[in-house]
Amino acid sequence: MNEHLPETLRAVEDELAALLRRGRALSWEIAREVHPNLEPNAYGLLLWLRRCGSIRLTDLAVRLGIGKGTLSRQIHGLEGLGLVRRDPDPDDRRAAQLSLTEEGTRRFDAARAARLGQMRRTMESWPRRDVEEFARLLHRFNETF
């Protein structure tokens, strides 16, 4: 094992802690942009729904690694805000497909555009290859963590 690895891992931990701290603050900010009553952790659910288009609750729970009961409560709150809807699953009438409402899509896209603009301004001085490498390494870290 590399003798400098523990020091390097501590540096990664420090930077990851700073990123998570900023991420929590940003989650509050973005959630409020989507809807004044949106909980910060719900933004991630909206992101998945926007990415998937339509997905069953059980499949979304598996992807997110959370229980169906917890997810169902969170989805219920999003439905109450008019951001998410449940439609009958055409393949299984006992199940439902979740998707963003038109209002949910509009609000999510507006908040996301603002966030991407902020990221663009933050990274505009970076060489394109560095941004690509950063994205690749973050993906690798998230996939293996």
Side-chain angles (χ1 to χ4, degrees):
M1 178 180 262
N2 184 333
E3 64 187 54
H4 298 290
L5 189 57
E7 182 180 318
T8 303
L9 288 178
R10 280 193 290 278
V12 169
E13 180 188 34
D14 290 348
E15 294 304 323
L16 190 55
L19 179 65
L20 293 172
R21 199 171 39 254
R22 283 190 185 95
R24 281 190 296 274
L26 186 60
S27 290
W28 277 99
E29 207 176 288
I30 293 171
R32 296 295 178 250
E33 287 178 28
V34 174
H35 193 283
N37 298 326
L38 186 66
E39 292 294 321
N41 61 347
Y43 181 81
L45 292 176
L46 297 177
L47 176 64
W48 272 102
L49 290 172
R50 184 67 172 114
R51 192 178 292 159
C52 295
S54 179
I55 190 169
R56 290 173 65 169
L57 185 129
T58 52
D59 295 336
L60 185 58
V62 168
R63 283 190 181 186
L64 297 174
I66 60 176
K68 286 185 347 183
T70 299
L71 180 59
S72 185
R73 284 188 295 280
Q74 291 174 339
I75 293 296
H76 183 73
L78 294 171
E79 286 177 298
L81 296 176
L83 303 173
V84 171
R85 71 170 182 266
R86 292 179 202 239
D87 294 312
D89 186 329
D91 298 326
D92 183 353
R93 289 292 177 187
R94 298 168 296 166
Q97 292 277 33
L98 304 171
S99 59
L100 295 179
T101 62
E102 285 183 32
E103 181 69 5
T105 299
R106 185 187 68 72
R107 287 175 174 256
F108 176 84
D109 287 351
R112 188 177 203 195
R115 182 176 68 148
L116 289 175
Q118 184 179 26
M119 289 176 75
R120 183 176 291 114
R121 288 186 299 278
T122 299
M123 301 178 95
E124 68 188 353
S125 65
W126 291 29
R128 180 183 177 97
R129 286 179 46 173
D130 287 358
V131 176
E132 290 169 350
E133 183 70 358
F134 184 59
R136 185 188 71 74
L137 291 171
L138 279 174
H139 176 77
R140 181 177 171 193
F141 178 80
N142 286 325
E143 287 294 309
T144 57
F145 193 69

